[in-house]
């Protein structure tokens, strides 16, 4: 069996997501329909970048007690927590700074922005956040998750973003003020 390519992983993601989002028999919450295709996409991209098939695990609806929040996924690589993923319904976007502050999503962002490694996605766009700061740019897929199906495409920068997310390593504070700043974000 041939190895999956980046383009193939994106195509499969598009086909799986469209199938779930456009199911004629029954409708579910759009955000929830992206979970399984997204999990498969992350596994595929991790393997393309050389991680063993069972190296990553996505654990759904993991409570982060100190933030009183529950991101859609906690992600481990080789059984070590590397970050969290927040999934929004298609069309909502991947820039949480644009969510109205008095909305559920805006209030949730005010909590989640303290996480050191957070991936946001609505299936059409992906963004990576470190301690509330955008890392790089928001990456927009070519096509629409609800209609493109297997024709969905993505720039190679998405592969780099996912790789960066999965390879994240904490930066230990080197000074007392840095330690105080890290501790304050968690309190």
């Amino acid at each position: 069996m041939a190895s999956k390519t980046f383009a193939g992983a994106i195509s499969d993601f598009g086909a799986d997501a469209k199938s779930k989002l456009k199911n004629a028999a029954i409708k579910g919450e759009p955000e929830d329909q992206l979970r399984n295709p997204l999990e498969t996409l992350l596994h595929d991209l991790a393997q393309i970048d050389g991680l063993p098939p069972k190296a990553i695990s996505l654990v759904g609806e993991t409570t982060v007690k100190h933030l009183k929040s529950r991101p859609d996924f906690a992600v481990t690589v080789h059984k070590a927590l590397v970050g969290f993923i927040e999934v929004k319904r298609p069309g909502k976007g991947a820039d949480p700074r644009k969510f109205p502050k008095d909305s559920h999503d805006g209030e949730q962002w005010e909590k989640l922005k303290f996480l050191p490694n957070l991936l946001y996605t609505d299936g059409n766009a992906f963004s990576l956040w470190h301690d509330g700061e955008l890392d790089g740019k928001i990456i927009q897929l070519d096509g629409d998750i609800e209609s493109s199906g297997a024709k969905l495409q993505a720039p190679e920068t998405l592969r780099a973003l996912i790789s960066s997310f999965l390879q994240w390593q904490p930066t230990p504070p080197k000074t007392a003020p840095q330690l105080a700043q890290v501790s304050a974000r968690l309190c």
Side-chain angles (χ1 to χ4, degrees), residues 124-145:
N124 289 313
F126 290 77
S127 61
L128 182 58
W129 302 84
H130 298 294
D131 299 312
E133 297 294 323
L134 180 63
D135 181 0
K137 295 181 178 182
I138 296 171
I139 297 172
Q140 188 71 37
L141 274 59
D142 300 321
D144 185 88
I145 197 73

Side-chain angles (χ1 to χ4, degrees), residues 11 44-45 49 87 108 115 126 128 153 168 174 185:
S11 176
D44 288 347
L45 295 180
D49 280 346
V87 182
Q108 183 184 43
L115 292 171
F126 290 77
L128 182 58
Q153 296 179 7
W168 177 81
K174 294 180 174 132
R185 280 196 313 264

Side-chain angles (χ1 to χ4, degrees), residues 48 64 73 82 105 109 123 127 130 136 157 171 177:
I48 289 168
V64 182
F73 291 106
V82 296
D105 292 324
W109 168 242
S127 61
H130 298 294
T157 51
T171 304

Side-chain angles (χ1 to χ4, degrees), residues 86-164:
E86 182 58 30
V87 182
K88 297 299 178 194
R89 69 169 165 69
K92 187 153 276 203
D95 189 346
R97 300 169 300 188
K98 293 184 177 179
F99 300 150
K101 292 199 184 299
D102 61 346
S103 69
H104 165 75
D105 292 324
E107 291 171 5
Q108 183 184 43
W109 168 242
E110 288 304 311
K111 296 174 184 178
L112 296 181
K113 71 180 181 182
F114 294 107
L115 292 171
N117 192 34
L118 175 66
L119 184 70
Y120 252 86
T121 185
D122 71 347
N124 289 313
F126 290 77
S127 61
L128 182 58
W129 302 84
H130 298 294
D131 299 312
E133 297 294 323
L134 180 63
D135 181 0
K137 295 181 178 182
I138 296 171
I139 297 172
Q140 188 71 37
L141 274 59
D142 300 321
D144 185 88
I145 197 73
E146 296 181 89
S147 60
S148 293
K151 294 179 182 176
L152 188 69
Q153 296 179 7
E156 277 286 329
T157 51
L158 177 64
R159 181 177 172 184
L161 181 134
I162 299 297
S163 180
S164 178

